[in-house]
């Protein structure tokens, strides 16, 4: 089954990026959010990104209009009734995701695949809130979606081979490199590797071993990573780093290595969340 019309639930950082890349691939997209101001905010981000591509000569102005013309922004979930696949990108909150999946399950045709962009949560548990757990999987894009190449395709306990095949095919048509996460395990591949490196970086600063700037400089020049951990957290959201760490701690046997450093908790309490506030570690 070829996906011609995609539903995206949540028009925030990830949702609008997913909608943009799908529309660039030629898909029609229905992008929903709870309030029109969030939908409009998402559309403005897409317009701004495409506008820059036109300025740089990477995209034709007519093509920009055609891409935007393929995206319909809405607050009416009923507009998802004729989409071929849905990607959910609401906040990283399990109860919210379960309630969104229940609603989308009632709204969409029975053969439609429902994918979640969760960074860490259980695909199996999200799938259990629907009547089609075989058609639920993880489709984990990275931020910023138009630029990051990877999508993790995650199998829940009941996910069918066909669901994995169709979702992988869609991600590859969107120009992404895919990997299959064969077991529904917290943090999947990338976050399971990334979080301990964030935690260690924060502990190094907390223990007075090195400054934030020097940790980032060390990681960029010594490991050849494009960004240091603090720069990366500022970009992706310190709140997300915190929530994912807490989730991994609870799900992975409460091992000490997943305990959030006090400095991370202080950042959250101070409201310096990186992308949300413009103020983070830097
Ligand atoms: N930001 C990242 O770097 C990143 C990377 C990979 C995955 N993720 C995951 O993607 C998901 C979304 O993250 P984000 O950074 O885009 O968050 P965000 O806060 O930027 O956007 C979330 C959007 O969901 C909307 N929303 C909330 N409840 C809704 C509902 N019931 N129906 C429709 N829309 C609703 C909000 O209004 C908001 O616009 C999370 O699960 C997150 O863990 C985030």
């Amino acid at each position: 089954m070829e996906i011609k019309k995609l539903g995206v639930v949540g028009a925030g950082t990830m949702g609008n990026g997913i909608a943009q890349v799908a529309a660039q691939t030629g898909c029609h997209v229905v992008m929903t959010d709870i309030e029109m101001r969030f939908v409009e905010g998402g559309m403005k981000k897409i317009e701004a990104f495409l506008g820059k591509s036109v300025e740089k000569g990477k995209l034709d102005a007519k093509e920009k209009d055609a891409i935007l013309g393929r995206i319909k922004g809405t607050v009416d979930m009923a507009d998802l009734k004729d989409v071929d696949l849905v990607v959910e990108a609401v906040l990283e909150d399990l109860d919210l995701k379960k309630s969104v999946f229940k609603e989308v399950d009632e709204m969409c045709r029975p053969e439609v695949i429902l994918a979640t962009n969760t960074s860490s949560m259980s695909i199996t548990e999200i799938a259990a809130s629907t009547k089609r757990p075989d058609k639920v999987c993880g489709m984990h894009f990275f931020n910023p979606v138009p630029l990051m190449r990877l999508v993790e395709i995650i199998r829940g306990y009941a996910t069918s081979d066909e669901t994995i095949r169709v979702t992988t095919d869609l991600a590859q048509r969107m120009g992404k490199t895919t990997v299959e996460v064969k077991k529904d395990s917290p943090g999947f591949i990338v976050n399971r590797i990334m979080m301990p490196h964030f935690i260690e970086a924060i502990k190094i600063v907390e223990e007075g071993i090195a400054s934030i700037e020097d940790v980032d400089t060390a990681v960029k020049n010594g490991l050849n990573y494009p960004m240091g951990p603090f720069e990366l957290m500022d970009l992706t959201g310190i709140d997300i780093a915190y929530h994912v760490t807490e989730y991994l701690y609870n799900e992975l046997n409460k091992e000490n290595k997943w305990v959030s450093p006090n400095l991370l908790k202080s950042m959250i309490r101070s409201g310096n969340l990186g992308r949300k506030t413009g103020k983070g570690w830097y």
Side-chain angles (χ1 to χ4, degrees):
M1 181 181 56
E2 196 188 333
I3 307 303
K4 296 196 175 116
K5 192 167 186 182
L6 184 75
V8 178
V9 182
T13 309
M14 299 306 289
N16 71 61
I18 295 164
Q20 177 191 319
V21 176
Q24 282 177 300
T25 310
C27 278
H28 288 269
V29 180
V30 176
M31 181 173 76
T32 77
D33 207 300
I34 38 176
E35 289 182 31
M36 213 49 210
R37 64 191 168 110
F38 298 132
V39 174
E40 284 161 5
M43 289 301 293
K44 278 202 185 110
K45 289 262 166 60
I46 298 171
E47 269 189 77
F49 189 101
L50 296 176
K52 273 194 200 143
S53 303
V54 173
E55 273 169 33
K56 288 182 192 159
K58 288 183 182 168
L59 185 72
D60 189 82
K62 269 194 192 152
E63 183 55 18
K64 174 190 157 197
D65 293 343
I67 294 166
L68 290 170
R70 284 195 283 273
I71 306 172
K72 175 186 167 142
T74 179
V75 290
D76 188 355
M77 293 288 266
D79 288 334
L80 295 172
K81 64 182 180 305
D82 60 349
V83 300
D84 303 318
L85 189 147
V86 174
V87 184
E88 164 277 315
V90 304
L91 311 174
E92 189 75 344
D93 175 313
L94 190 58
D95 289 335
L96 174 65
K97 286 190 188 289
K98 281 167 42 178
S99 80
V100 165
F101 267 73
K102 194 167 183 296
E103 197 181 348
V104 173
D105 188 36
E106 281 159 18
M107 217 53 85
C108 293
R109 288 173 284 123
E111 68 272 23
V112 169
I113 291 171
L114 310 179
T116 172
N117 187 48
T118 178
S119 301
S120 60
M121 294 183 164
S122 167
I123 311 301
T124 305
E125 194 168 346
I126 293 169
S129 60
T130 73
K131 294 192 192 78
R132 61 181 93 188
D134 58 315
K135 296 191 180 63
V136 176
C137 68
M139 192 179 190
H140 185 208
F141 290 84
F142 291 78
N143 183 21
V145 179
L147 304 180
M148 294 297 281
R149 296 185 301 274
L150 185 68
V151 177
E152 290 177 324
I153 308 287
I154 305 122
R155 212 176 252 280
Y157 181 73
T159 308
S160 71
D161 290 345
E162 178 66 1
T163 297
I164 295 292
R165 196 191 61 72
V166 172
T167 312
T168 301
D169 181 59
L170 173 66
Q172 290 177 354
R173 267 176 54 214
M174 289 165 86
K176 303 300 181 192
T177 298
T178 56
V179 288
E180 184 186 340
V181 182
K182 293 175 191 290
K183 284 187 186 168
D184 184 14
S185 175
F188 317 129
I189 301 172
V190 172
N191 281 337
R192 178 108 176 234
I193 293 171
M194 187 170 74
M195 289 306 154
H197 129 270
F198 281 171
I199 292 171
E200 285 308 318
I202 297 168
K203 280 187 187 163
I204 286 170
V205 170
E206 199 170 56
E207 289 167 20
I209 295 166
S211 67
I212 286 173
E213 291 81 357
D214 280 356
V215 171
D216 278 352
T217 301
V219 168
K220 283 189 284 189
N221 292 280
L223 293 174
N224 217 11
Y225 287 10
M227 295 177 89
F230 293 102
E231 286 174 315
L232 187 53
M233 278 186 268
D234 275 1
L235 176 76
T236 54
I238 298 171
D239 52 337
I240 291 192
Y242 174 70
H243 291 308
V244 174
T245 305
E246 292 291 297
Y247 186 78
L248 292 176
Y249 172 74
N250 285 314
E251 292 295 318
L252 294 169
N253 305 323
K254 304 203 168 174
E255 283 178 34
N256 275 345
K257 71 171 185 174
W258 300 110
V259 173
S260 291
N262 280 331
L263 184 54
L264 177 58
K265 289 184 189 156
S266 298
M267 288 298 284
I268 300 299
R269 289 183 188 125
S270 71
N272 290 338
L273 305 179
R275 79 195 161 102
K276 296 248 180 213
T277 56
K279 269 197 260 163
W281 297 108
Y282 282 94

